[in-house]
Amino acid sequence: MKFIKYIFALTSISIMISCGGGDQKKEEKKSVKIGTSTSTSTNDENTVNVGLTGNDLMQFSAKEIKVKAGQKVNLTFRHVGKMELAVMGHNFVLLKPGTEIPAFSLEAANVGKDKDWIPNDGKDVIAHTKMIGGGQSTSVTFTAPEAGTYDFICSFPGHSGLMKGKFIVE
Ligand code: ZN
């Protein structure tokens, strides 16, 4: 952002210098327009806010999440149920390509609470939230990986059969 503004400022100055007399006003107007549209689209395309919930019936609110490669993803995850973390914990775990959901879930169950249900120090994971219980909310910010279709799951023991979806990067 700052960088773009800086470039824009330099461009305006050079336009002002190169144009003399009556043309100056016209050129200034034109360059302001360009500057405005550039900064707006940069904002919109660089950050995306994603809202996701999980409930007491082991359901995510979305089966598909779509973002664009390189976007900064602000994902807010809420547990809209009432059950406690120990019996109905939920998290959002975005798996790296090639990670098998059943095998990962088994390892997650094995490491359990001590590692927040993320096995192998997170080497199979692109991003994840912490595990939360009913009524709680959490968030995670990460950069969307390269284009492709990725799996997201809840890694609480026994949940990934139902609690899974596709994270699609375009
Ligand atoms: Zn869960």
Side-chain angles (χ1 to χ4, degrees):
M1 270 298 296
K2 265 187 183 161
F3 182 68
I4 288 164
K5 270 190 183 154
Y6 178 67
I7 297 272
F8 168 61
L10 281 183
T11 314
S12 322
I13 289 163
S14 65
I15 287 168
M16 280 163 71
I17 292 165
S18 61
C19 299
D23 285 342
Q24 195 174 317
K25 242 186 183 170
K26 208 170 93 192
E27 288 295 333
E28 269 183 69
K29 260 189 192 163
K30 198 174 155 194
S31 59
V32 167
K33 260 188 197 163
I34 293 163
T36 308
S37 68
T38 305
S39 59
T40 309
S41 66
T42 305
N43 262 348
D44 289 345
E45 294 195 358
N46 277 358
T47 304
V48 59
N49 296 310
V50 178
L52 182 71
T53 66
N55 63 21
D56 282 343
L57 300 172
M58 281 195 265
Q59 291 165 329
F60 277 130
S61 56
K63 289 263 167 215
E64 254 183 26
I65 297 171
K66 273 188 191 171
V67 302
K68 289 181 179 142
Q71 270 184 327
K72 189 178 147 200
V73 182
N74 290 323
L75 186 137
T76 303
F77 179 54
R78 275 193 311 135
H79 190 320
V80 294
K82 290 195 165 74
M83 293 168 82
E84 285 174 22
L85 193 154
V87 280
M88 186 56 72
H90 295 321
N91 63 0
F92 165 88
V93 181
L94 181 60
L95 298 174
K96 285 186 183 168
T99 305
E100 296 293 333
I101 295 175
F104 180 89
S105 300
L106 205 63
E107 287 174 353
N110 285 337
V111 299
K113 196 175 143 200
D114 289 347
K115 300 277 183 184
D116 207 22
W117 291 272
I118 301 296
N120 303 320
D121 296 321
K123 78 166 177 58
D124 308 313
V125 163
I126 294 167
H128 71 93
T129 67
K130 63 176 186 174
M131 191 71 76
I132 56 173
Q136 294 182 313
S137 169
T138 185
S139 66
V140 63
T141 299
F142 59 96
T143 303
E146 63 182 55
T149 300
Y150 302 79
D151 291 309
F152 70 87
I153 63 164
C154 168
S155 70
F156 195 84
H159 285 200
S160 65
L162 283 172
M163 298 189 77
K164 62 184 171 189
K166 296 291 181 191
F167 189 89
I168 299 161
V169 183
E170 291 173 328

